[in-house]
Amino acid sequence: MTIILYYTSVSSSSEMRKKQQRIMDYLDSKKIPYTTVDISQSVEDKEEMRKKAGNPTALPPQLFNGDTYCGDFEMFENAVELETEETFFKL
């Protein structure tokens, strides 16, 4: 399975951009293959992200391993801090 990062390329929130970049930098540094889905380009992608996350108001970044929900940024940061990334990403 491949890690899928749902993100947005259009955001006025510098905090959201930093969170998204933090995840991408982490995945790149660990050489974990991933694909990105930009929800700002498609309403269908945003709806799919929210449905798969089980949260009708979920905001990016959201992480999945295939169709399996891994978590949001806070859950990602917690996994990194606790060194449980493999469990978080379901690798």
Side-chain angles (χ1 to χ4, degrees), residues 39-61:
I39 67 164
S40 68
Q41 303 300 312
S42 166
V43 172
E44 291 82 14
D45 287 339
K46 179 170 73 172
E47 290 171 0
E48 178 181 298
M49 174 195 76
R50 288 177 170 175
K51 181 180 178 187
K52 287 170 46 176
N55 179 348
T57 60
L59 296 174

Side-chain angles (χ1 to χ4, degrees), residues 22-83:
R22 163 86 171 103
I23 292 170
M24 289 181 206
D25 290 347
Y26 175 84
L27 294 169
D28 289 339
S29 73
K30 297 295 184 180
K31 297 184 180 7
I32 298 172
Y34 67 98
T35 59
T36 57
V37 178
D38 185 356
I39 67 164
S40 68
Q41 303 300 312
S42 166
V43 172
E44 291 82 14
D45 287 339
K46 179 170 73 172
E47 290 171 0
E48 178 181 298
M49 174 195 76
R50 288 177 170 175
K51 181 180 178 187
K52 287 170 46 176
N55 179 348
T57 60
L59 296 174
Q62 298 288 329
L63 291 151
F64 298 83
N65 187 332
D67 286 334
T68 304
Y69 183 58
C70 296
D72 60 11
F73 180 77
E74 286 72 24
M75 296 165 78
F76 162 77
E77 281 287 283
N78 190 45
V80 171
E81 185 176 319
L82 297 174
E83 298 181 0

